[in-house]
Amino acid sequence: MGNAVYTWQVPWGIYVWLDVYYGFILMATLIYAYERHLGLTLLIFFIMCWTGNMIAAAWLLWRAPDIYDRIAHPRTPA
């Protein structure tokens, strides 16, 4: 029996897998909120499901300067 199949059969394994996939969904939601491009978001989500959070980390590093600017210098409404 494979390790992935075994982990779905024990309570801690179910918790770990649900935690991982909820993280993927939350990160994909953040990416969609920032990018507003469903195709890119779905692509990144499926890559995250296949490879893990390295793609999410790469996206954060790529967008970090602009995200930082938006947080540090919020736009004031006119």
Side-chain angles (χ1 to χ4, degrees), residues 1-14:
M1 181 182 312
N3 289 336
V5 174
Y6 171 74
T7 57
W8 278 107
Q9 296 175 354
V10 293
W12 61 264
I14 294 169

Side-chain angles (χ1 to χ4, degrees), residues 3-70:
N3 289 336
V5 174
Y6 171 74
T7 57
W8 278 107
Q9 296 175 354
V10 293
W12 61 264
I14 294 169
Y15 171 80
V16 167
W17 282 109
L18 290 175
D19 182 51
V20 166
Y21 281 98
Y22 283 142
F24 293 163
I25 291 168
L26 281 170
M27 191 64 204
T29 303
L30 175 68
I31 292 170
Y32 181 71
Y34 183 85
E35 298 289 346
R36 298 286 185 197
H37 191 271
L38 184 60
L40 176 64
T41 302
L42 289 175
L43 176 66
I44 291 173
F45 173 75
F46 288 122
I47 293 172
M48 277 191 294
C49 290
W50 184 258
T51 64
N53 286 316
M54 293 307 293
I55 191 72
W59 181 85
L60 281 171
L61 288 172
W62 176 42
R63 292 300 193 185
D66 187 54
I67 293 171
Y68 175 78
D69 284 341
R70 287 182 181 205

